[in-house]
Amino acid sequence: MTEYDLTSHQCGRQYAFCIAGHIINVVFSEENRKDDIFLLPSFRPFLLHDNDKSDNSTIQSPFIDAEKASFQPSMPHDKDNSDGCAPHHPTLDVRKPLFTLTVNDGQDADGGTEYCVYADGSDRTAAMPDGSYNIEHGKVYVYVTPLHINIRIADTQGHVICRLRSTRDFTRSACLLYGNDYNTRSLGLNDAVMMMMTFRGSYYDTAIIHAAAVKKGNAAYAFIGRSGIGKSTHARMWTEHIDGAHLLNDDSPIVRIVDGKAIVYGSPWSGKTPCYRNESAQLHAMAEIVRDSDNHVTRLSPSVSFARLVSACSTLPCVASVHRNTTSIIMKLVTTLGGIYAMHCLPDAEAATVAHSGMTQKG
């Protein structure tokens, strides 16, 4: 069975990305000649550089296509940026990434539902997970050991697409990818990076939020709500009817507290809408989308705002440190924004103008 290796993460084909002002490293291990950066096409705008000095011509992958050839470091859209990353972040040090994820090939490991025998000798194949959570395309199982956090990601049929092992502080991790097709392996790797960003980012006042976000000038506005309620539709109304507004992210923007301000960033994860902008802006207001028979805005109380944001922010309840960190971020968001709004609306142009007027008012 292929082993998880959390010690040799500096060996292999290395790529550095800047996401929400954080540097993250993704390393494809030397023995893994099947996978590479082409599994992460939406990460292109966030690529800083790669440290790959190996001969990639030896990669034997059925997935290589024009995507890899065009994958070059890209600068963000913000003109006031000077360091290859979106603004509104503390000084970056590429030698100290937020986390490093090493990607291995799990094809010669058992891809069934049983978990592996851990390196510390404990056999958890028969154990109940410490946490299990439904995601849009399957289910996540979390196993907590004294040294590691072990995560199994399965698709809707229960087939394993990725196994992720991390140190308890989420600074170093390794994953095994499964599947014989591009989409399965790409999905597994995206899930692994997104989870690491969620868990490690929580230590630095950074949270991924299920929302649609628009940017207008130097201000950003985010819309939360249950799936299918109309977040994307409302965001589109802003881009079509509010002068100067454009979509920042349509599904999973990243919110970060920096110097007492809430900053929202574009991310490589944007649901069904391919909007992967390396941009950021101060979060001016946030609203929950509520279907109604007319368009009007109300302000929610701090306690209700907190409850709504708990449902919108990604976290890991079975790991106390991550859950505590996320709760702290939400409290800071409520304090910084003074609570959030409820946007009672129809899916029409007037909803955008009413929301913009209500959410840009002071107090």
Side-chain angles (χ1 to χ4, degrees), residues 124 126-133 140-144 150 152 318:
R124 298 290 299 276
M128 292 292 292
D130 296 286
S132 61
Y133 312 97
V140 173
Y141 302 86
V142 182
Y143 302 79
V144 181
N150 300 278
R152 174 160 53 92
C318 67

Side-chain angles (χ1 to χ4, degrees), residues 305-338:
S305 297
F306 179 87
R308 298 296 188 267
L309 288 171
V310 166
S311 299
C313 290
S314 300
T315 188
L316 189 59
C318 67
V319 176
S321 59
V322 175
H323 190 56
R324 182 173 58 247
N325 294 341
T326 307
T327 301
S328 174
I329 296 168
I330 294 172
M331 292 178 66
K332 291 176 182 178
L333 269 175
V334 172
T335 301
T336 300
L337 298 175

Side-chain angles (χ1 to χ4, degrees), residues 113-115 139-141 143 150-154 160 162-163:
T113 57
E114 289 188 347
Y115 216 76
K139 199 161 188 176
V140 173
Y141 302 86
Y143 302 79
N150 300 278
I151 297 173
R152 174 160 53 92
I153 306 170
V160 175
C162 179
R163 285 172 173 161

Side-chain angles (χ1 to χ4, degrees), residues 29-43:
S29 62
E30 290 289 358
E31 65 272 14
N32 180 7
R33 310 308 294 179
K34 179 179 296 184
D35 304 313
D36 210 296
I37 198 171
F38 48 79
L39 291 179
L40 299 171
S42 63
F43 283 59

Side-chain angles (χ1 to χ4, degrees), residues 16-23 42-49 72-89 92 215 246-249 254 264-269 274-281:
F17 302 91
C18 180
I19 302 175
H22 296 295
I23 302 299
S42 63
F43 283 59
R44 183 191 290 109
F46 305 87
L47 180 66
L48 287 179
H49 60 79
Q72 299 296 328
S74 175
M75 297 295 289
H77 299 278
D78 297 274
K79 295 181 180 179
D80 58 345
N81 167 71
S82 61
D83 59 9
C85 207
H88 304 115
H89 60 77
L92 294 168
K215 180 179 177 181
H246 68 265
L247 187 65
L248 181 61
N249 187 276
I254 300 174
V264 62
Y265 297 79
S267 82
W269 308 286
C275 181
Y276 313 112
R277 295 180 179 272
N278 190 358
E279 298 182 27
S280 62

